[in-house]
Amino acid sequence: GSQQSPTPGQQQPGEPGQAPANPGYPGANPGAGPAGTQGSMSQTYADQAFVTKTLSNSSAEAQMSQLAAQKSPSPDVKQYGQKMVKIHSELAQQLQPVAKMLGVKADQKPSKKDKKQIEQLKTLNGPAFDQAYIKAMDNDQKHDVKSFKDEETAAQTPTIKKAAQMDEPVLSQHLQILEQLAQNHNVTIASK
């Protein structure tokens, strides 16, 4: 008979036996309530939720912006799309090692809502495309900026704190550029 030697359990040294699975349920709200020192576990959880959400958003925004770079009839929107693809790809790269460290999947897919948005953008052309893209990005970017601002103060993981502090001004700046685009294209966007 063939003798199969069992593979030894791949337990890496210095790793907690069981990384907490990430249920990713919507109730995971980083920055909810004052974080006391007692709940270091729940804080890690908040960091995990932040990384998961940011990677998912980045993936969605990069996909939407890819479409804008290809399909938009307006040079300014096209250019913004290209810039966003770059920013969100870099953001994802930057957070991948952090995700690994926290035991979060590094290749997050866009949320259901964002997937719908991406599908819708694929069907649109001309000014209708620009308007839908600007609205969708505005919505997502506002969430990003808010969660980054929260994470600047709430993050327990130094790497994440640093990333949030570094990226939040970039995201805020591009949110302003986007609001300028909205004005140029007569798109009404909800105020902050």
Side-chain angles (χ1 to χ4, degrees), residues 28-108:
N29 178 11
T37 36
Q38 83 294 346
S40 69
M41 186 60 223
S42 66
Q43 263 315 117
T44 318
Y45 187 77
D47 283 354
Q48 286 176 327
F50 169 76
V51 171
T52 306
K53 194 171 141 214
T54 302
L55 284 170
S56 165
N57 276 1
S58 269
S59 159
E61 289 173 51
Q63 285 183 39
M64 291 196 271
S65 298
Q66 194 86 52
L67 289 172
Q70 291 161 359
K71 292 176 62 134
S72 172
S74 321
D76 55 354
V77 177
K78 236 186 176 61
Q79 200 180 3
Y80 187 80
Q82 287 163 346
K83 183 92 187 162
M84 277 289 131
V85 171
K86 190 166 171 291
I87 285 176
H88 283 288
S89 307
E90 282 169 10
L91 188 61
Q93 272 173 342
Q94 183 191 12
L95 284 176
Q96 269 161 2
V98 187
K100 212 174 182 157
M101 193 175 78
L102 290 170
V104 171
K105 248 184 44 222
D107 59 333
Q108 296 290 338

Side-chain angles (χ1 to χ4, degrees), residues 122-144:
K122 284 181 181 166
T123 65
L124 297 170
N125 288 301
F129 173 87
D130 283 351
Q131 293 197 337
Y133 170 71
I134 290 170
K135 277 192 166 144
M137 287 297 282
D138 178 67
N139 201 359
D140 276 8
Q141 294 272 44
K142 283 201 174 100
H143 284 300
D144 284 351

